[in-house]
């Protein structure tokens, strides 16, 4: 007869919820050798449907973990957006096609669509290489934070107590486990148990727009079925998102379909996927979609546009992803915001757990990501209003014109692509000295640029030299410090000695545990000697770069110009790829000041 | 007590030897679902040393099997070649740096270096996905070809009888197996048992140059240690080939080192790797190389420049790779020639085994690859003479100047890169009508070019749409057959009907088993409708391409111009990626004539 057992355990980070946000955090922490566990109450992972759009910045972030390859291999790419509007003869016609992504510096200038299960599988496979898997099914029963101020301020303490129930398989009994954690991450979705249990309020309201979603493999004569297509007809609106293989997702406006009651509610029992398809057909005319034998997935939603009042309790319990912000899926932001929440949090937890940074560093998580979530909802409101609005016609001059819609589509391109995410001034973001590198915007991610390795003239993407390995990166733009310019080389040697002293002091001699250093010289591949730089600037031969075009004449070059670096500068890049501060080559002292604001003093 | 057992088996293709040539053939045939076996007499695979340079064309070929990814991930890339010559102050100095690869259309404009064991592992991993592994250790004991003319001409017969001895492991007895094969491939190296047993003579002679090879991880102040470096000093010649990780291979000239006897022989007992390094040091002055704790691999060689008199016996037994041609390794051609022999042979065997092509198709293997091997040796003689020659100085005006050396280095760039390989006129290579696509050279491989998919504006590399799947590809350049050009669209519709009739007749209705068809239109991404073409030209939506630049403005465009296509043409690409013939859009009949010269008449 099954009986209940109790065991106790401790862990550095416990993650509750194994969706994209939770898995992203788990993978990032496991990669950094943090002692981490992740649990989920679902016995198996999601196989189809749900969120599935990966924005350009998210692809860059995944690449920084070495994960973009599989994403690009499996996913569909959306390069083009098509806009259909009412034609003069009834039905719809093609008004315009424009690039789907409006973000000139995007390394991957397209959105990737892939079902959520496949994206989760990418994280799961990566995590397993670090020896981590999801514990499931396991249900959190209670969560308690210590009330001892000293304990809460002790980075080595385990002030969070979580009781879990592991559901038994077949004849096995349920098991209760008491987990003592240094930190807990609530990644348990829009109905977050962590958030509710800790009494964190959601601010905002439900939207008035109701949409249906259908995933299918269509037979159609519609010429833009493989492009993202926004259809505004006099018979409703519809959006097409092509997906992996030959699959397509349709978003169908339901507001006036007759299925929505006066109070804005919809009875899911009264409508099914084939009825949704029937509604979509009306807006497709004169194009047709045949009725498929099977519908892969469908749903109806009316999601609120809401943000949690707080993203953490005492910097010991954090909420990430849908647990702290919900919005409409049409802007394709949900999973991206979730993944980037965890990307922002994981390296900060790593620094605290390694004893490098003070707990105060963790305050920047809410500061940076809550502001982003609010901006997202402001954008979403405008976008949803325009998208759901009736098209402008002769008869209906108050309607939404194609120009209105296109304008917001492109104006917010930097935002929707994730490329323009800009973290405001904080202890991590020192906004002075921007003039030294005018296009390496402090608070934004480092744009892609190809440089050559000095030793072998191989073109390398700078983003690939900024992996998410929890280290800060110093980009040392030395000017033309080649043997042609002995004075500049001498200056570089001198200031490197000073930089070395600063870094030795900050790290108690273990410089390369906290930092990686790349040098970028303004010289040519035919003249450079990779080994005439001070060793600190070429700790390995592959770390010495030059700003030149490659031997095939097609890649690289003009990096100083594109980054807006005049002659020289040192740029500090945060472990998540965002520019933290900039200083003059001959002023490394400021680097020490920047880091001392959040690194722990060395004993 | 061990006793010997005998069993009999049959197989479509038996491959003897599991080096790069044998594995390439095995993987290609297994991928095409051919019943194939591969044996090797070595109990384990090579782990270090031996051949290790992959030329640009070989990378393209590997990519056509989906294998370039792992190669590029693991291998080192050589982009730059540096030339050092005697300086006026004694020692050497940098004379010049130039691109290592001189082949403007190369998709991968660099050489990849990776040790042979790692390259073999790539093939082995791929083969295993098709359920094939190497049988080892197994020694061929005898090989006999049927003398029955009718049997030799019957494509379904098994006219080759090979007796194998499987060496027993531990207490197991040896086992004898009699294999009846339709075809046998001898890939058993320079001392090929298959070649000798069948009495095929090698033509050519030993070279006079003797070289030593050392693989090590060097500590050095030499600034070009990560470039391919050719060092000509007054104290001997040396070549540096950087490899994966921090490893480097040194080729060291030994002719006048004192270790070579008057008859040009060298006693390997008298010299070791550290003595080789000592000789290299003399040519490095004023740069130094520290003595490493360990040498990864070393050897001494004096390879003959020889070609087998025949590459096949009765088109039933073939020899590939080092079994049919040997040459000096400095030009980095050995493994490349081997891999490309098998690439040339595998699809032809597949066509015969599937009953599509006549046995006469197999004659083109020797025709195409023997000529290439002879050209390779002619080149190698010139290159080796220049490389081993003394440098020109004030005192020695007959020496080799940098200009002489650079000239041959660059003149033969197309050849050494493999990009310029040009198969002569044969039943597979119909050289008329070149004017319809002046830069798709008949007999050469299709150069890389990015087109957009009409349906979703995604940029795709045409080489990736020409996989080594044993099918011929038709590239149908339709001109501007968009709805803007109704006349051209009508012409395309009409000639496509004719093309359809031709292909139906050739394939007895199974067009897509033998062919894949890509259409390339001269129109724009904003105007095109992918689905207004005849279905034959868009059997899947991804097969309809357009010649336009992508939405980011960085990829594709000018494909018609770069390929030298005026307004329209149909280009037949062989399964190995080489252009077979070209015809006018409105003359598909010529396609029928071309294929009837080697495809079997359909019953």
């Amino acid at each position: 007869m099954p009986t209940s057992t109790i065991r106790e355990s401790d862990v550095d980070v416990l993650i509750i919820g194994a969706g994209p946000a939770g898995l992203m955090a788990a993978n990032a922490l496991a990669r950094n050798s943090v002692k981490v566990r992740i649990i989920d109450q679902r016995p198996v992972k999601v196989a189809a449907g749900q969120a599935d759009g990966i924005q350009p910045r998210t692809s860059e972030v995944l690449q920084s973990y070495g994960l973009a390859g599989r994403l690009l291999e499996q996913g569909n790419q959306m390069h083009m957006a098509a806009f259909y509007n009412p034609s003069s003869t009834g039905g719809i016609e093609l008004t315009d096609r424009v690039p789907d992504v409006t973000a000139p510096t995007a390394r991957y200038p397209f959105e990737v669509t892939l079902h959520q299960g496949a994206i989760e599988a990418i994280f799961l496979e990566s995590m397993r290489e670090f020896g981590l898997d999801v514990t499931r099914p396991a249900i959190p029963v209670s969560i308690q934070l210590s009330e001892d101020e000293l304990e809460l301020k002790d980075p080595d303490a385990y002030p969070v107590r979580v009781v879990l129930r592991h559901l038994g398989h077949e004849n096995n009994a349920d098991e209760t486990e008491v987990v003592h954690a240094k930190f807990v991450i609530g990644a348990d979705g829009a109905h977050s148990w962590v958030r509710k249990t800790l009494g964190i309020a959601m601010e905002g309201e439900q939207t008035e727009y109701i949409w249906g979603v259908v995933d299918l493999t269509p037979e159609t004569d519609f010429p833009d079925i493989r492009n993202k297509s926004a259809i505004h007809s006099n018979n409703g609106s519809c959006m097409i998102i092509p997906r992996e293989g030959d699959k397509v997702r349709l978003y169908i406006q339901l507001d006036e379909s007759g299925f929505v009651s006066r109070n804005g509610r919809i009875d899911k029992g009264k409508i099914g996927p084939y009825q949704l398809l029937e509604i979509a057909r009306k807006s497709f005319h004169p194009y047709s979609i045949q009725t498929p034998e099977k519908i892969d997935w469908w749903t109806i939603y009316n999601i609120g546009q809401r943000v949690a009042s707080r993203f953490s309790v005492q910097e010991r319990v954090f909420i990430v992803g849908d647990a702290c912000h919900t919005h409409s899926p049409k802007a394709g932001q949900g999973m991206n915001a979730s993944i980037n929440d965890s990307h922002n949090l994981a390296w900060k937890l790593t620094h605290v757990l390694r004893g490098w940074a003070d707990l105060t560093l963790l305050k920047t998580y809410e500061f940076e990501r809550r502001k982003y979530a609010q901006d997202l909802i402001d954008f979403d409101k405008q976008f949803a209003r325009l998208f759901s609005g009736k098209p402008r016609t002769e008869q209906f001059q108050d309607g939404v014109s194609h120009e209105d819609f296109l304008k917001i589509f492109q104006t917010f391109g930097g935002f929707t692509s994730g490329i323009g995410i800009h973290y405001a001034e904080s202890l991590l973001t020192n906004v002075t000295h921007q003039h030294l590198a005018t296009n390496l915007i402090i608070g934004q991610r480092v744009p892609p640029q190809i440089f050559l390795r000095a030793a072998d003239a191989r073109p390398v993407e700078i983003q690939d030299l900024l992996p998410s390995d929890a280290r800060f990166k110093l980009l040392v733009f030395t000017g033309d410090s080649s043997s042609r310019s002995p004075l500049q080389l001498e200056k570089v040697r001198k200031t490197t000695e000073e930089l070395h002293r600063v870094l030795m002091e900050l790290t108690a001699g273990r410089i390369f545990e906290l930092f990686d250093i790349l040098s970028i010289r303004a010289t040519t591949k035919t003249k450079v000697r990779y080994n005439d730089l001070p060793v600190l600037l070429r700790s390995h031969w592959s770390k010495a770069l030059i700003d030149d075009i490659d031997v095939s004449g097609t890649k690289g070059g003009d990096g100083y110009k594109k980054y807006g670096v005049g002659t020289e500068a040192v740029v500090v890049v945060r472990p998540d790829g965002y520019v933290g501060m900039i200083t003059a080559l001959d002023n490394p002292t400021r680097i020490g000041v920047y880091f001392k604001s959040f690194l722990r003093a060395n004993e």
Side-chain angles (χ1 to χ4, degrees), chain A:
Chain A
M1 203 175 157
T3 55
S4 195
T5 59
I6 295 186
R7 59 186 165 98
E8 301 224 357
S9 65
D10 56 54
V11 70
D12 287 354
V13 182
L14 174 68
I15 300 167
I16 297 173
L23 291 170
M24 175 75 180
N27 178 62
L29 291 168
R31 186 184 149 105
N32 294 344
S33 306
V34 167
K35 202 177 156 195
V36 58
R37 282 179 67 189
I38 176 167
I39 64 153
D40 198 280
Q41 60 181 25
R42 295 170 296 179
V44 288
K45 69 180 186 63
V46 172
Q50 301 206 13
D52 64 357
I54 295 289
Q55 299 294 347
R57 173 56 189 158
T58 309
S59 294
E60 292 180 1
V61 167
L62 291 174
Q63 175 62 6
S64 77
Y65 292 89
L67 301 180
R70 233 183 103 181
L71 178 77
L72 296 178
E73 202 174 286
Q74 293 179 32
N76 178 66
Q77 298 178 10
M78 286 194 295
H79 290 262
M80 188 74 97
F83 300 91
Y84 280 76
N85 284 289
S87 72
S88 53
T89 58
I92 54 168
E93 64 184 2
L94 177 64
T95 309
D96 208 354
R97 285 182 188 152
V98 303
D100 180 46
V101 168
T102 311
T105 70
R107 178 175 181 186
Y108 307 99
F110 47 83
E111 288 179 71
V112 178
T113 50
L114 184 61
H115 72 86
Q116 187 171 325
I119 290 163
E120 291 178 0
I122 292 172
F123 288 124
L124 287 165
E125 187 181 86
S126 173
M127 274 164 53
R128 282 183 195 129
E129 285 171 28
F130 306 114
L132 180 64
D133 214 330
V134 180
T135 301
R136 63 167 83 220
I139 295 176
V141 176
S142 71
I143 182 166
Q144 277 178 300
L145 207 60
S146 168
E147 290 175 3
D148 180 342
E149 281 296 321
L150 282 178
E151 195 178 357
L152 285 171
K153 287 203 160 59
D154 175 6
D156 298 323
Y158 295 82
V160 201
R161 182 181 186 274
V162 180
V163 177
L164 300 180
R165 183 173 309 132
H166 298 280
L167 301 187
H169 302 277
E170 295 178 18
N171 287 332
N172 296 334
D174 286 4
E175 192 184 56
T176 300
E177 179 181 6
V178 180
V179 182
H180 302 276
K182 289 179 180 168
F183 300 98
V184 169
I185 299 176
D188 49 349
H191 305 287
S192 172
W193 172 89
V194 174
R195 185 189 71 224
K196 289 175 187 164
T197 308
L198 295 172
I200 299 174
M202 290 298 272
E203 298 170 350
E205 67 269 350
Q206 289 295 107
T207 61
E208 63 202 280
Y209 311 111
I210 296 185
W211 289 74
V213 187
V214 180
D215 284 359
L216 75 165
T217 301
E219 281 285 326
T220 178
D221 58 353
F222 183 68
D224 283 276
I225 195 71
R226 297 305 308 175
N227 290 323
K228 180 197 270 186
S229 297
I231 297 173
H232 286 96
S233 85
N234 290 322
N235 301 304
S237 295
C238 187
M239 185 174 245
I240 296 172
I241 306 287
R243 295 180 39 183
E244 68 272 19
D246 292 340
K247 289 183 187 176
V248 161
R249 171 166 292 182
L250 302 180
Y251 287 100
I252 303 147
Q253 187 183 23
L254 296 181
D255 313 22
E256 300 189 0
S257 63
F259 290 96
V260 181
S261 69
R262 276 175 170 263
N263 61 6
R265 285 177 189 267
I266 193 154
D267 185 347
K268 225 186 158 181
K270 283 195 185 149
I271 192 167
Y274 290 98
Q275 282 147 310
L276 290 175
L277 193 58
E278 204 50 51
I279 298 166
R281 274 209 184 95
K282 288 180 192 154
S283 54
F284 265 72
H285 181 76
Y287 301 104
S288 64
I289 300 183
Q290 291 179 34
T291 302
E293 283 188 21
K294 107 181 204 295
I295 298 282
D296 295 315
W297 185 76
W298 71 283
T299 193
I300 289 170
Y301 67 86
N302 167 11
I303 283 183
Q305 292 166 325
R306 301 190 299 168
V307 180
S309 58
R310 289 182 294 158
F311 279 22
S312 111
V313 179
Q314 303 267 22
E315 280 74 66
R316 286 295 188 167
V317 182
F318 301 88
I319 49 176
V320 295
D322 291 351
C324 48
H325 42 72
T326 60
H327 27 81
S328 83
K330 280 180 307 299
Q333 296 302 317
M335 182 161 47
N336 297 278
S338 299
I339 287 173
N340 284 294
D341 284 347
S342 294
H343 177 57
N344 184 285
L345 179 59
W347 73 266
K348 296 171 182 173
L349 283 175
T350 302
H351 273 244
V352 170
L353 286 165
R354 287 187 184 168
W356 296 337
D358 202 86
L359 279 165
T360 54
L361 175 63
L362 300 174
K363 287 187 192 293
T364 62
Y365 165 67
E366 177 177 303
F367 174 78
E368 294 184 332
R369 296 304 299 174
R370 189 161 184 274
K371 177 175 176 301
Y372 169 76
Q374 283 168 323
D375 291 348
L376 178 55
I377 280 169
D378 291 343
F379 156 73
D380 190 39
K381 282 182 181 163
Q382 293 191 56
F383 191 74
R385 186 180 55 77
L386 281 182
F387 196 86
S388 297
K390 281 186 94 62
R392 176 178 298 177
T393 58
E394 291 278 320
Q395 291 75 34
F396 187 59
Q397 288 287 329
D398 286 345
V400 179
S401 73
H402 172 61
E403 289 66 30
D404 295 340
F405 191 66
L406 188 61
K407 193 177 160 205
I408 197 161
F409 185 85
Q410 296 189 322
T411 303
F412 285 98
F415 188 79
T416 54
S417 66
I419 298 300
I421 290 177
H422 192 142
Y423 294 135
E425 187 168 10
S426 74
L427 50 82
L428 278 178
T429 311
N430 182 312
V431 299
T432 64
H433 295 68
Q434 182 68 72
H435 64 281
L436 293 170
T438 50
N439 295 325
L440 288 172
I441 311 292
I442 300 163
Q444 293 196 12
R445 69 86 164 93
V446 174
Q449 171 66 26
I450 290 175
F451 293 100
L452 306 188
R453 299 200 300 208
D456 65 0
R458 176 172 171 170
V460 285
E461 169 52 56
I462 190 83
Q463 286 196 344
D464 287 336
L465 302 181
L466 307 172
S468 290
D469 61 2
R471 294 193 293 176
F472 283 83
K473 317 295 186 298
L474 302 187
L475 306 184
V476 184
F477 294 87
T478 65
D480 182 3
S481 55
S482 69
S483 40
R484 288 183 304 186
S485 309
L487 277 179
Q488 184 68 11
L489 189 53
E490 194 44 43
K491 179 177 178 184
V492 169
R493 284 190 182 138
K494 201 164 140 271
T495 64
T496 301
E497 281 172 31
E498 212 176 318
L499 178 63
H500 189 252
R501 274 193 299 275
V502 168
L503 297 179
M504 287 295 279
E505 192 200 331
L506 282 171
T507 62
R510 302 184 306 270
I511 294 177
F512 291 97
E513 285 182 30
L514 267 85
F515 293 99
D516 197 12
I517 301 171
L518 300 165
S519 59
I520 302 171
R521 280 191 273 183
T523 185
T524 66
K525 57 190 174 292
T526 47
K527 299 294 176 201
V528 69
R529 284 161 194 261
Y530 81 95
N531 53 2
D532 62 7
L533 275 187
V535 173
L536 189 74
L537 303 187
R538 53 175 180 97
S539 57
H540 184 262
W541 57 263
S542 61
K543 306 289 181 185
L545 307 177
I546 58 173
D547 180 22
D548 195 7
I549 196 162
D550 83 330
V551 293
S552 75
T554 59
K555 292 176 180 166
D558 283 337
Y560 272 63
K561 194 172 151 207
K562 286 179 194 158
Y563 281 177
V565 175
T567 44
E568 45 181 57
V570 180
V571 176
V572 174
V573 183
R574 300 162 29 154
D576 53 9
Y578 289 76
V579 178
M581 65 96 68
I582 300 176
T583 188
L585 180 65
D586 55 6
N587 194 0
T589 314
R590 286 192 62 243
I591 293 174
V593 175
Y594 169 82
F595 281 104
K596 280 175 187 163
S597 74
F598 57 89
L599 289 188
R600 291 171 76 179
N602 283 294
E603 292 87 49

